Amino acid sequence: MAELHIIGQIVGASGFPQSSLFCKWGVHTGGAWRLLSGLKEGQTQVDLPQTGDMAYWSHPIDLHYATKGLQGWPKLHLQVWHQDSFGRCQLYGYGFCHVPSSPGHHRMSCATWRPLGSWQEQLAQMFVGGGPQLRNPDLIYSGADRYRLHTEAMGTVELELGVIMRHFDKYGVES
Amino acid sequence: MADCWNTDTGEAVYRSRDAVKNLRIKVRIERVTSTAALSQHLQQQVLFQQDRGDIELETLTSQGQTGDNEEEVVVGWQEKLFSQYEMELFQNEAACQTPLDRQYHAEVKALNRTKGRRNHRIFTYTDHDRYTSCLPLHQMQSGDLLTTTKSSPTFLAERMASVRHRRQERRTMDCNIPKTKIINWEPTEEFVKNSHVVNNAMQTMHIMGDLGPTGRLGQKENECLLITIKTDGSGTVIVKPDFNKNKEPYRIVTDRDRREVWRLTVENISTTMKPEEKDREQNMYKDLYVRHKEYLNSLVGQDFEMPPAGILRYLMNGEIVSAKGFEYDNLYIHFFMELPNNWSSLPFQPLSGVTQTCRTKTLEKENVALFSYPFNFEAFYMSEKESEESILQWPVLYFKVLSLDSWQRYRTEGYGYLLFPAMPGKHTVTCHTWRPLQTGTSSVLRRFFIGGSPELEDHSYVRIPGTFKGERLSRFGFCTETTGSVTFNLHCIQQARSFVDAAMLKKRRQKVFDQLGGFSQQGAVCNILEAFQRARRKMQEARESLPRDLISATSQLQIESSA
């Protein structure tokens, strides 16, 4: 049985059209993985930066997994939302990255994209907000049906993750 | 003769898991008078000359008047010892205002009825007394910090002194933060004072000494702070000044008309835990940890999936991050993996994929499309004969970037390939792409208006064509145009059984091929060597266990036979 610790934070996001953002995040693993302690999903606070473009959350991630196999390595999925001054929430992007498999400190940027509707919907989105969302968020980390989507590129989310692995070398795993 | 004093009166911080009520301190103060100094000096001289037997000791022992010049008291934590002043104050019932005063009044009356208090000069201020938090400010106002006497305490110092150092309830940091009231929209004055200023909730105790002249105890001016002990609830104890610990005593100089010098000795006499109890505690902790480990094991199980022996498993978790610098908009990427000889993969493993179509955005003068497309890949490598191949061939990922616009025109934007990295770990790879060109304006016009463009039939032409057999690859006459680049994030893991053996024998891993194939040879040689060593040892043991005369008899026989 090997153990994996993921200790880090979601630092913030930048590059989005507006800056009052919050993020819903979650970690998805395969069947052989077992979460021993920590919360594997959550939502950050809404941050409105006064200067500059980057919204900072500094949201902690602290997970302890135990596993029986290498398949289904944990993946982190993110949804970035925008909250405007009226309190309405609008989707700004879906993003995805694998948790690094080599031990140490990693600073990662996760790119995000947003689904596009028809041109009428885009026009309405410019005025009223809203816009299409994925019916099933599993699409973010499966990738099988992605070819049907038409998306547009949005900003990036910065993450800092520290990975500690235990007993993996006893089973001949080299990373 | 000058005594040496300990001038280091800084605080010392101790940490202990024991409850603070077990703390016991022995405090001793002695007045340094001229006669005492002289007699001590003479005694030392006598001891020095004792072997000569000149002076008798009896004449030089100083007696009398030691009763009031020294005192030794054992103080426990938050033990209230009354001073002469307090005894007189609390005897009078009219002076008692708070419930604490009344309690002291009762205690003083009880003490008077019994044999009186056991301390004389040394007394204590506990946490509940009203003088305890005033003392630091009092000391500060007397110009302790700076040399000029005119400086008044700063705004922060005043605020800190007026904050009552109460013991707040422990707020655990886990998930017990109340969900309804995270923000305090109307903080009170008290709340602001407590949270803007450093407020470590410490319990304090002061041990004071009344250093007045003999017979005139009980004056407030003669009180002097000897020792301060502070603790927070979690095992930190701060003692100022530190215990003497076989060093010289501290010196206290009273600043009145008659300057007197007192000696202060502090000692820690708390009972330590007996060794059996310590052992028992250690065993309990060990037991707890072992049980926790067993519990963790039971949750998941001990087994781990391993590939069969002699097979290397290569796992890649990757994502296509972005594509930038391409001509048109609405890009998507179509990729597939190719496995060379000796590589295999699972039957249901998808080896190709298509990303979503992404509209680019402008970032630093370039158009970037962000895909964030995950893919997983697992392949197995089986080494057959080591002598045949010298280079291990890794799998390749071929991809092509295409654009599809709203008029349903689609164009090739570029071809590229990515060789799977040989070293495990995290890799960020940027691959540059090109697209084939046809000379002449008709193809350019077609590409612009209708949207067709030349494509490669055999994708592996990007790297080494599959039909290539020979030594030199020539692409002479093939026209291409450079287009943009695609970025991948790859996390590679390799797993093999021989890595376990290598790790155990502490060998450095060089080439994977060596480890898989060549290692079996090395392993075989090692096995043989070990077997030889074992056999030799057995023979030596057998030889030693034989009786001596048998050996000599056989050797004689041999000599005879050879002769």
Side-chain angles (χ1 to χ4, degrees):
Chain A
M1 178 191 77
E3 291 169 38
L4 177 75
H5 285 266
I6 306 170
I7 302 173
Q9 54 169 336
I10 307 179
V11 179
S14 63
F16 289 90
Q18 304 260 357
S19 309
S20 166
L21 305 166
F22 68 93
C23 173
K24 289 198 213 181
W25 62 275
V27 175
H28 174 76
T29 55
W33 294 76
R34 181 86 180 249
L35 180 66
L36 293 180
S37 78
L39 298 167
K40 71 174 168 92
E41 58 195 7
Q43 186 174 325
T44 68
Q45 77 274 17
V46 180
D47 186 66
L48 174 60
Q50 304 232 334
T51 54
D53 175 45
M54 181 148 180
Y56 285 98
W57 296 312
S58 293
H59 190 86
I61 298 179
D62 190 354
L63 297 164
H64 182 192
Y65 277 103
T67 176
K68 283 195 278 200
L70 284 177
Q71 279 87 0
W73 194 268
K75 312 179 232 217
L76 186 68
H77 61 265
L78 308 158
Q79 295 180 24
V80 180
W81 291 73
H82 162 71
Q83 183 180 60
D84 62 8
S85 47
F86 300 112
R88 299 178 298 186
C89 295
Q90 185 186 12
L91 174 75
Y92 259 16
Y94 293 105
F96 165 94
C97 52
H98 280 283
V99 169
S101 55
S102 46
H105 181 90
H106 302 268
R107 183 143 187 148
M108 314 189 304
S109 299
C110 179
T112 55
W113 48 265
R114 167 163 78 157
L116 273 182
S118 61
W119 67 269
Q120 293 102 331
E121 284 173 3
Q122 284 171 45
L123 193 65
Q125 191 174 19
M126 225 182 346
F127 289 108
V128 176
Q133 298 170 24
L134 287 177
R135 220 185 264 272
N136 188 3
D138 287 353
L139 200 64
I140 320 174
Y141 41 80
S142 70
D145 281 331
R146 284 252 198 125
Y147 64 90
R148 295 197 216 156
L149 281 179
H150 189 198
T151 65
E152 70 171 325
M154 301 297 279
T156 49
V157 178
E158 300 273 334
L159 298 153
E160 271 181 13
L161 289 182
V163 174
I164 304 175
M165 302 170 60
R166 188 170 181 234
H167 296 321
F168 274 92
D169 50 353
K170 268 201 324 201
Y171 301 110
V173 177
E174 201 180 333
S175 55
Chain B
M1 169 186 131
D3 285 312
C4 20
W5 309 97
N6 194 351
T7 48
D8 180 13
T9 53
E11 331 187 294
V13 181
Y14 293 97
R15 287 181 216 281
S16 149
R17 279 194 223 124
D18 201 8
V20 75
K21 60 180 172 42
N22 293 334
L23 181 67
R24 294 262 175 283
I25 293 189
K26 181 160 77 171
V27 184
R28 179 189 167 80
I29 51 172
E30 293 177 59
R31 193 204 312 251
V32 176
T33 60
S34 45
T35 51
L38 177 64
S39 71
Q40 211 180 34
H41 179 64
L42 283 177
Q43 265 184 357
Q44 280 184 356
Q45 268 198 338
V46 160
L47 282 169
F48 185 57
Q49 295 168 347
Q50 203 175 12
D51 46 359
R52 300 194 210 155
D54 281 352
I55 308 172
E56 288 197 354
L57 278 172
E58 266 188 39
T59 54
L60 290 169
T61 52
S62 58
Q63 280 175 6
Q65 284 218 332
T66 50
D68 203 25
N69 282 347
E70 63 177 26
E71 187 169 337
E72 187 175 295
V73 165
V74 173
V75 181
W77 175 247
Q78 297 292 333
E79 190 179 329
K80 175 73 188 161
L81 298 172
F82 293 99
S83 66
Q84 183 69 31
Y85 175 77
E86 282 178 332
M87 292 283 280
E88 287 160 15
L89 176 69
F90 289 119
Q91 258 176 3
N92 186 6
E93 178 134 17
C96 301
Q97 292 153 0
T98 63
L100 185 67
D101 290 348
R102 279 184 267 273
Q103 186 193 339
Y104 283 164
H105 169 71
E107 281 177 22
V108 163
K109 275 217 302 212
L111 274 176
N112 280 338
R113 256 183 278 135
T114 57
K115 50 189 165 83
R117 53 197 180 112
R118 61 183 172 92
N119 58 319
H120 205 52
R121 288 183 182 264
I122 300 178
F123 61 98
T124 64
Y125 284 141
T126 60
D127 201 30
H128 311 285
D129 285 335
R130 62 181 98 120
Y131 312 110
T132 310
S133 37
C134 288
L135 268 173
L137 183 61
H138 172 75
Q139 283 179 344
M140 262 189 267
Q141 273 176 351
S142 61
D144 255 3
L145 287 173
L146 298 173
T147 49
T148 63
T149 45
K150 291 211 187 91
S151 62
S152 49
T154 62
F155 177 65
L156 188 59
E158 276 175 18
R159 277 284 195 96
M160 287 278 294
S162 61
V163 166
R164 288 189 62 202
H165 288 261
R166 310 173 68 181
R167 181 112 191 262
Q168 294 168 347
E169 314 95 60
R170 308 270 309 276
R171 285 232 318 250
T172 54
M173 285 300 153
D174 266 354
C175 304
N176 296 344
I177 303 168
K179 296 237 168 25
T180 47
K181 268 196 82 177
I182 301 177
I183 302 178
N184 190 351
W185 291 108
E186 285 151 22
T188 59
E189 191 68 40
E190 179 83 19
F191 185 79
V192 168
K193 253 202 237 174
N194 279 346
S195 34
H196 288 197
V197 166
V198 172
N199 188 12
N200 294 332
M202 291 247 183
Q203 279 196 316
T204 322
M205 178 175 163
H206 297 289
I207 301 182
M208 318 277 297
D210 188 348
L211 305 178
T214 320
R216 278 206 295 147
L217 297 178
Q219 313 253 336
K220 207 94 167 104
E221 314 79 64
N222 294 336
E223 285 176 14
C224 173
L225 173 65
L226 298 177
I227 303 164
T228 309
I229 310 172
K230 284 193 268 207
T231 176
D232 64 359
S234 52
T236 312
V237 179
I238 302 177
V239 180
K240 176 180 166 72
D242 196 7
F243 301 117
N244 282 106
K245 282 190 231 169
N246 306 328
K247 286 198 275 205
E248 298 82 18
Y250 298 107
R251 171 164 75 153
I252 304 170
V253 181
T254 56
D255 50 350
R256 285 175 295 119
D257 9 318
R258 294 178 51 205
R259 289 175 78 86
E260 290 180 343
V261 180
W262 289 75
R263 229 184 273 146
L264 166 70
T265 319
V266 191
E267 225 183 289
N268 173 23
I269 53 166
S270 328
T271 50
T272 51
M273 227 174 14
K274 295 201 251 314
E276 309 95 56
E277 278 180 30
K278 243 187 236 178
D279 279 336
R280 233 186 319 154
E281 201 183 44
Q282 293 275 21
N283 285 342
M284 243 169 36
Y285 273 121
K286 237 188 283 181
D287 212 10
L288 180 69
Y289 292 141
V290 162
R291 277 219 205 131
H292 185 68
K293 208 163 69 156
E294 274 171 22
Y295 165 67
L296 282 182
N297 278 350
S298 71
L299 280 181
V300 186
Q302 276 294 343
D303 47 348
F304 195 87
E305 204 186 330
M306 299 271 282
I311 291 189
L312 169 75
R313 175 200 262 162
Y314 189 98
L315 266 152
M316 164 117 89
N317 299 323
E319 56 226 26
I320 304 180
V321 179
S322 62
K324 64 172 156 195
F326 289 94
E327 209 180 329
Y328 285 94
D329 209 341
N330 294 319
L331 303 166
Y332 67 97
I333 299 183
H334 176 51
F335 64 91
F336 65 95
M337 329 230 200
E338 190 207 337
L339 301 171
N341 295 335
N342 290 338
W343 285 86
S344 63
S345 80
L346 302 167
F348 53 84
Q349 167 99 38
L351 288 179
S352 68
V354 184
T355 67
Q356 74 268 22
T357 313
C358 186
R359 179 187 290 178
T360 59
K361 72 169 200 179
T362 314
L363 197 70
E364 290 168 12
K365 295 190 202 158
E366 268 193 341
N367 292 331
V368 181
L370 300 173
F371 294 106
S372 192
Y373 182 88
F375 60 89
N376 297 321
F377 178 64
E378 190 179 334
F380 298 92
Y381 174 76
M382 180 145 37
S383 64
E384 291 169 349
K385 292 177 200 164
E386 313 119 27
S387 50
E388 275 185 11
E389 304 156 30
S390 48
I391 309 169
L392 182 61
Q393 292 192 330
W394 297 94
V396 186
L397 181 133
Y398 294 103
F399 63 92
K400 64 179 177 187
V401 184
L402 302 132
S403 70
L404 175 71
D405 66 3
S406 52
W407 297 93
Q408 308 290 324
R409 295 181 286 191
Y410 101 104
R411 308 171 172 96
T412 12
E413 294 292 335
Y415 288 93
Y417 75 96
L418 168 72
L419 188 62
F420 281 30
M423 295 300 295
K426 177 177 172 179
H427 303 266
T428 307
V429 187
T430 305
C431 304
H432 297 277
T433 57
W434 49 258
R435 73 175 171 84
L437 264 187
Q438 246 176 352
T439 50
T441 49
S442 61
S443 59
V444 178
L445 286 171
R446 188 187 312 128
R447 185 181 157 88
F448 182 74
F449 285 107
I450 316 175
S453 40
E455 292 179 39
L456 283 180
E457 247 188 48
D458 177 17
H459 280 254
S460 57
Y461 190 77
V462 179
R463 199 172 158 244
I464 300 172
T467 51
F468 176 68
K469 279 175 181 42
E471 285 186 0
R472 288 199 205 87
L473 174 67
S474 161
R475 292 206 194 153
F476 184 68
F478 186 61
C479 278
T480 63
E481 179 190 4
T482 310
T483 48
S485 59
V486 179
T487 311
F488 293 85
N489 256 354
L490 306 170
H491 302 281
C492 304
I493 309 175
Q494 294 176 7
Q495 185 188 16
R497 253 178 230 253
S498 53
F499 290 160
V500 185
D501 304 332
M504 285 196 337
L505 289 176
K506 292 198 182 81
K507 289 199 188 237
R508 267 186 65 221
R509 275 176 272 279
Q510 288 158 353
K511 282 201 291 184
V512 173
F513 174 69
D514 275 343
Q515 298 304 314
L516 277 184
F519 201 80
S520 57
Q521 268 185 350
Q522 293 177 14
V525 169
C526 278
N527 283 345
I528 293 172
L529 276 175
E530 267 177 39
F532 171 66
Q533 296 283 351
R534 262 182 274 135
R536 189 155 178 242
R537 241 180 287 132
K538 270 196 206 150
M539 185 198 72
Q540 280 178 339
E541 279 166 23
R543 216 171 155 190
E544 276 156 19
S545 63
L546 276 180
R548 280 278 153 197
D549 47 354
L550 205 59
I551 295 174
S552 50
T554 45
S555 59
Q556 265 192 339
L557 260 171
Q558 272 186 343
I559 293 169
E560 281 175 14
S561 59
S562 61

